[in-house]
Amino acid sequence: EPEVTQTPSHQVTQMGQEVILRCVPISNHLYFYWYRQILGQKVEFLVSFYNNEISEKSEIFDDQFSVERPDGSNFTLKIRSTKLEDSAMYFCASSKRQGLNTEAFFGQGTRLTVV
Amino acid sequence: TQLLEQSPQFLSIQEGENLTVYCNSSSVFSSLQWYRQEPGEGPVLLVTVVTGGEVKKLKRLTFQFGDARKDSSLHITAAQPGDTGLYLCAGAYTSGSRLTFGEGTQLTVNP
């Protein structure tokens, strides 16, 4: 069964360093998302991406964050200068279509720990 | 800020019992998904409901979407220990495609 895959599963980085989280969405999906979940809190939307551009972003997704689809398969989230409060599980998701009946399929997540 | 409230937050029951989890909002959803999440893993999609009043069944799980599309419920019949997990509802509002998640209901089914 097709699935969203994320690498690495766990990333430890020092505060101020740049990190890139990688995702391979389901192959015939057109919409891509990043969500995060701080330990013990609910899943929060970061950004959605369609047709090689950001379609929507939350207030969390500030100038320190960027997304890119560098080739036909990968979808990345970059955090330029990590802060302690960026420590969280980051989930990539993809869906075939947007709007009504948005079924998003999630990856296993990358646990980011900023020290 | 659009909020989606789930209740109860925690539920511990014995194997064989029935249970219902609720998801409520003051806003209208265009669609609503139910997910199940295991510790350290991503949410796994269980079902999507779109039409007001819609009922969907997945084995012992019954999902209902309220007539006004502001609320939903998940009913589990004859719960089993394998049903243990965090159940999340997530709504997509008419204004965009982002999913707004509830806090989740942590279900524990004891043998």
Side-chain angles (χ1 to χ4, degrees):
Chain A
E1 185 172 326
E3 60 181 14
V4 177
T5 57
Q6 291 185 242
T7 55
S9 57
H10 193 181
Q11 174 87 46
V12 180
T13 188
Q14 286 199 325
M15 191 170 53
Q17 294 295 306
E18 174 184 286
V19 293
I20 298 176
L21 310 183
R22 291 181 165 81
C23 168
V24 179
I26 295 173
S27 62
N28 63 345
H29 285 188
L30 301 177
Y31 300 90
F32 314 117
Y33 314 87
W34 284 100
Y35 289 79
R36 79 171 186 190
Q37 186 176 33
I38 295 171
L39 186 64
Q41 298 185 21
K42 61 183 176 182
V43 178
E44 301 174 290
F45 169 79
L46 292 178
V47 66
S48 59
F49 192 85
Y50 169 71
N51 199 27
N52 282 322
E53 61 182 26
I54 291 173
S55 51
E56 190 178 3
K57 60 183 180 180
S58 73
E59 57 280 1
I60 302 169
F61 194 88
D62 61 22
D63 292 344
Q64 291 300 311
F65 291 88
S66 62
V67 289
E68 191 177 34
R69 189 157 163 82
D71 53 44
S73 60
N74 290 286
F75 179 50
T76 62
L77 173 69
K78 181 193 290 186
I79 308 175
R80 288 188 183 78
S81 178
T82 50
K83 308 183 190 69
L84 295 176
E85 55 264 36
D86 293 328
S87 295
M89 282 288 284
Y90 286 81
F91 295 109
C92 174
S94 68
S95 67
K96 282 186 181 179
R97 57 187 178 275
Q98 200 177 54
L100 195 68
N101 200 9
T102 302
E103 287 190 332
F105 294 85
F106 285 74
Q108 292 284 79
T110 293
R111 180 174 297 283
L112 176 66
T113 303
V114 183
V115 297
Chain B
T1 302
Q2 296 160 327
L3 291 176
L4 206 157
E5 296 182 350
Q6 281 188 247
S7 61
Q9 189 175 357
F10 298 97
L11 189 56
S12 181
I13 61 172
Q14 293 301 120
E15 183 175 0
E17 292 182 359
N18 302 331
L19 67 112
T20 302
V21 174
Y22 300 93
C23 177
N24 294 286
S25 174
S26 57
S27 303
V28 175
F29 302 117
S30 63
S31 69
L32 186 138
Q33 283 85 51
W34 283 93
Y35 292 86
R36 179 174 158 178
Q37 186 179 25
E38 300 296 335
E41 298 183 9
V44 176
L45 181 65
L46 297 175
V47 78
T48 298
V49 286
V50 176
T51 306
E54 183 176 6
V55 176
K56 282 192 174 179
K57 292 194 174 186
L58 186 65
K59 296 182 181 178
R60 292 176 294 99
L61 278 59
T62 301
F63 304 86
Q64 186 160 8
F65 203 13
D67 291 340
R69 291 188 290 135
K70 292 183 179 181
D71 57 273
S72 181
S73 64
L74 158 60
H75 182 80
I76 301 179
T77 304
Q80 299 175 0
D83 295 327
T84 293
L86 181 66
Y87 289 83
L88 301 167
C89 64
Y93 295 96
T94 55
S95 60
S97 65
R98 67 167 73 182
L99 289 175
T100 298
F101 279 81
E103 301 263 1
T105 293
Q106 180 61 53
L107 171 66
T108 302
V109 182
N110 303 298

